[in-house]
Amino acid sequence: MEKIPSYIVLLLICILSRLLSSVYYIEDPESLKVAEAVYERAASLNFKSVLSESSLFIFAAKVFYSIFQSIAITFSSLGGVSMFFIFTYTLNLINVPILSLEGVLVGSLIFFNPLFWIASNKYSADLAGVAILLAAFFYLVPETYKKYDNYKGWLLAGILVGVKLSYFPFLIIPCLYSLFAKKKALPSLGSFIIGIIFTLLPVLIYLGWND
């Protein structure tokens, strides 16, 4: 419980720092497509291609945009949240406490990494995909499984399909390892299907059954 205030402070720092460096212009063609999908001003073909790649992320961005009414603040907030989870699950993977010298050093390397910083302000799902990928890997390939960890990993693997589909191949081997290690194929696949359902709901909402 004593770690909770530290994680809350870390989350606020991640979000506020990204808000201060928000980007108020389109940086590349991918960012244009994603921004248009959030605005719902894209041509049908572009909208479908972006939605099929990042349906759940687009839905989350639309929710944030409805609150903030700013595309820059929307993606900076999502980038800050993504940075928080990348930091958290990186420490969990290497088994380093957040309140330690090693935790501060690792956190500084991640927090001030220029590639991460640029990606956290970009109008894309890249950083969110990395965050979910790390979280899924943490639950799928632990040293010792805790109760429901395996199912959490499979659920996140399904959700990753709706956040950044192109990142999913990185989880194929961890998923196979999980199946052989736990030997609970049906419950695991059930968790994965639930994650897939979450990714399909935005597609059904925005495109309908026919498309």
Side-chain angles (χ1 to χ4, degrees):
M1 292 296 291
E2 65 274 6
K3 293 182 180 180
I4 292 178
S6 301
Y7 282 109
I8 293 174
V9 171
L10 175 63
L11 176 61
L12 292 175
I13 290 174
C14 287
I15 294 175
L16 291 174
S17 62
R18 270 50 191 180
L19 289 176
L20 291 173
S21 59
S22 295
V23 176
Y24 290 87
Y25 55 87
I26 303 297
E27 296 179 292
D28 52 69
E30 181 189 359
S31 298
L32 176 61
K33 289 181 180 180
V34 174
E36 286 181 332
V38 175
Y39 281 132
E40 291 189 33
R41 296 175 182 171
S44 178
L45 182 61
N46 286 341
F47 183 77
K48 290 178 183 178
S49 65
V50 173
L51 197 61
S52 63
E53 165 75 5
S54 305
S55 59
L56 203 57
F57 179 80
I58 295 299
F59 178 77
K62 284 178 179 288
V63 172
F64 274 65
Y65 180 71
S66 67
I67 297 171
F68 299 118
Q69 294 298 305
S70 168
I71 199 75
I73 292 177
T74 292
F75 284 102
S76 292
S77 299
L78 289 170
V81 173
S82 300
M83 281 298 302
F84 168 75
F85 283 107
I86 288 173
F87 178 77
T88 301
Y89 280 101
T90 299
L91 291 182
N92 288 337
L93 280 167
I94 62 178
N95 196 25
V96 170
I98 183 174
L99 298 176
S100 65
L101 177 60
E102 294 87 350
V104 172
L105 291 174
V106 172
S108 298
L109 288 173
I110 296 172
F111 186 83
F112 294 107
N113 185 297
L115 293 178
F116 279 150
W117 199 298
I118 292 171
S120 62
N121 288 126
K122 186 181 176 184
Y123 301 174
S124 77
D126 293 342
L127 211 62
V130 172
I132 294 176
L133 178 63
L134 281 174
F137 184 85
F138 172 75
Y139 291 118
L140 288 169
V141 194
E143 292 183 2
T144 51
Y145 282 101
K146 295 180 181 178
K147 191 175 183 181
Y148 303 125
D149 272 4
N150 182 59
Y151 306 137
K152 292 177 186 176
W154 280 91
L155 178 66
L156 289 169
I159 290 175
L160 179 62
V161 172
V163 174
K164 193 69 176 178
L165 178 60
S166 57
Y167 289 1
F168 178 74
F170 291 103
L171 283 182
I172 292 176
I173 292 178
C175 285
L176 291 175
Y177 173 85
S178 171
L179 281 178
F180 285 110
K182 293 295 291 184
K183 298 180 180 179
K184 293 183 178 180
L186 288 179
S188 299
L189 293 175
S191 299
F192 180 71
I193 291 172
I194 292 173
I196 292 292
I197 290 173
F198 278 114
T199 71
L200 290 177
L201 287 177
V203 179
L204 294 176
I205 291 171
Y206 294 118
L207 298 182
W209 285 99
N210 292 333
D211 285 337

